[in-house]
Amino acid sequence: MAVHPLENLPLLSTPPSPALPLMLLLGAIAAVAPLSIDMYLPALPLIASDLAASSARLQQSVAVFLFGFALCQLVYGPLSDRIGRRPVLLFGLLLFTAASAACTLVNSAEQLLLTRLLQALGGGASAVVINAVVRDRYQGPAAARVFSLVIMTMTLAPLLAPSIGSLLLQVSGWRAIFLLLTLQGLTLTLWVACYLPETLPPARRRQQPWRQLFAGYLSVLRHRQAMGHLLCSALAFAAMFAFITGSPFVYIGLFQVSEQLYGVLFGCNVLLLMAANGFNSRYVMKTGLHPMIVAGLAIQSGCGLVLMLAALSGLLTLTLTVLCCALFIGAIGLLAPNTSAAVVAPFEHHAGAASALMGSARFFCGALAAMLVALLDDGTAMPMVTVMGGCALAAAGCYAILARAPSANA
């Protein structure tokens, strides 16, 4: 069998300009999760009414998706280290496509929760493979730069997703949203099958017995700085998912904005996220990973505190909420690529496991944050902003205690 020319390329610390088609493909694969989560957000109140379910019950569909997305990565990561990236990704995309089609047929909240879980179990392969593919090729700040470029490409998904969801609601109803996700999964499956090379050649695959497949997790769990960056990243993402879960009901329910305006306001967060990723990709090679991480944590902690104090004092307005949330979410553009690079950098032979543990931690913490927002739902913004602020402060604490000292790869 012919070997793709990318398979034998060495790891790079200074990245060349990545081929545009490959970067677009990686960005499109990375967009599976945000599209699956964000596109149906404007429809949540309508779906709750249509399925005769409470708003808290429908908010749980976000948490269920995140739990499934987190757990399956723990299997996909070591498996991709053993059999390669492509087979794992193709299986996951096929399952995602089938489950998305099933979402169009549900008639109860329970059925929606089940199909969303299956959708997540397939889509989780995308998060693992993207991080592992980048680690197969790059190291340190170079990897952070490539992560930024991928994230800039895929951020079009959350920028457009709520608006697309709102449009589909007006034209065809909420089931059309899941039909579009089905077409997305099918298109990506064909695109990956035809154009994504295998970046982990057989010589670099883990050859340990199957019973030792998960041993790579111990290496990651024992690495203090890697775990510091992992927890920092996971808590920052948890804060984001608290916003994703609560914002439809805060903006549409509390502040009485329309579904269309909600899509616009949601897009403001993504625009700042794209800007932060662009800034990071331009300057991280000069500054290193850690100054960017510190800046992101400072922005999130400051905005979180302002939101909590405003909510407690009764001074929280739509303008203040939109501004602070946009800065808060935008700061992930400084946190996500750099913590991703810092976590996987020490693990040449366990990149899939490190990537999976990081992705799983992000979505598991995100699921807990989403569930907490749903359980604390009291018709105010307090549950959302409290969880956001608490997660941001905890992320800063984990960084200060475990990961502050620069590693050799930073």
Side-chain angles (χ1 to χ4, degrees), residues 59-384:
Q59 284 177 325
Q60 290 175 6
S61 69
V62 178
V64 164
F65 183 92
L66 297 177
F67 272 122
F69 211 85
L71 292 175
C72 69
Q73 292 183 57
L74 296 175
V75 177
Y76 288 140
L79 193 62
S80 74
D81 286 336
R82 177 65 183 262
I83 67 174
R85 314 304 185 198
R86 274 172 51 88
V88 170
L89 181 58
L90 286 170
F91 170 81
L93 287 174
L94 286 171
L95 178 57
F96 172 83
T97 302
S100 298
C103 287
T104 66
L105 305 174
V106 300
N107 293 306
S108 68
E110 289 70 27
Q111 291 176 2
L112 180 63
L113 293 177
L114 176 61
T115 53
R116 287 286 285 171
L117 176 61
L118 293 174
Q119 195 182 37
L121 293 178
S126 63
V128 171
V129 170
I130 287 297
N131 291 329
V133 164
V134 174
R135 177 58 183 85
D136 289 342
R137 296 291 316 283
Y138 304 103
Q139 290 181 334
R145 180 172 181 241
V146 177
F147 277 124
S148 289
L149 294 172
V150 171
I151 293 173
M152 284 182 64
T153 303
M154 59 79 67
T155 45
L156 286 175
L159 176 63
L160 299 176
S163 297
I164 294 173
S166 298
L167 178 62
L168 290 174
L169 279 177
Q170 300 298 317
V171 175
S172 301
W174 60 267
R175 296 179 192 274
I177 295 172
F178 293 107
L179 178 59
L180 185 58
L181 290 173
T182 304
L183 296 176
Q184 176 206 12
L186 183 60
T187 301
L188 281 177
T189 301
L190 295 174
W191 198 359
V192 168
C194 295
Y195 295 110
L196 183 67
E198 177 58 69
T199 59
L200 187 67
R204 289 173 52 198
R205 294 176 190 174
R206 302 300 297 167
Q207 301 300 321
Q208 75 271 36
W210 285 99
R211 65 180 181 275
Q212 298 179 8
L213 192 62
F214 299 94
Y217 289 131
L218 293 177
S219 299
V220 183
L221 293 171
R222 291 169 178 166
H223 196 289
R224 181 181 65 85
Q225 288 186 344
M227 285 302 299
H229 288 107
L230 185 148
L231 292 172
C232 172
S233 176
L235 288 164
F237 269 72
M240 180 182 69
F241 286 121
F243 169 78
I244 288 172
T245 302
S247 62
F249 298 95
V250 171
Y251 285 13
I252 299 173
L254 181 63
F255 292 119
Q256 298 295 304
V257 306
S258 66
E259 289 87 350
Q260 291 73 27
L261 181 56
Y262 171 76
V264 174
L265 296 178
F266 193 93
C268 293
N269 304 298
V270 186
L271 287 175
L272 279 181
L273 178 61
M274 292 178 68
N277 271 289
F279 178 84
N280 187 73
S281 67
R282 182 178 179 87
Y283 293 106
V284 70
M285 295 296 292
K286 298 178 182 179
T287 66
L289 308 181
H290 293 273
M292 295 295 188
I293 295 173
V294 170
L297 290 172
I299 293 171
Q300 285 203 334
S301 298
C303 290
L305 285 172
V306 169
L307 287 170
M308 287 191 293
L309 291 174
L312 281 171
S313 61
L315 299 176
L316 191 65
T317 64
L318 176 62
T319 300
L320 181 62
T321 303
V322 170
L323 177 61
C324 287
C325 287
L327 289 171
F328 192 107
I329 302 302
I332 298 210
L334 302 178
L335 290 171
N338 298 304
T339 53
S340 295
V343 170
V344 301
F347 307 107
E348 178 180 356
H349 297 295
H350 295 292
S355 174
L357 196 60
M358 175 175 59
S360 181
R362 283 175 174 175
F363 284 94
F364 183 75
C365 289
L368 290 178
M371 188 66 73
L372 189 57
V373 171
L375 291 175
L376 297 177
D377 182 30
D378 59 359
T380 74
M382 199 66 205
M384 182 185 80

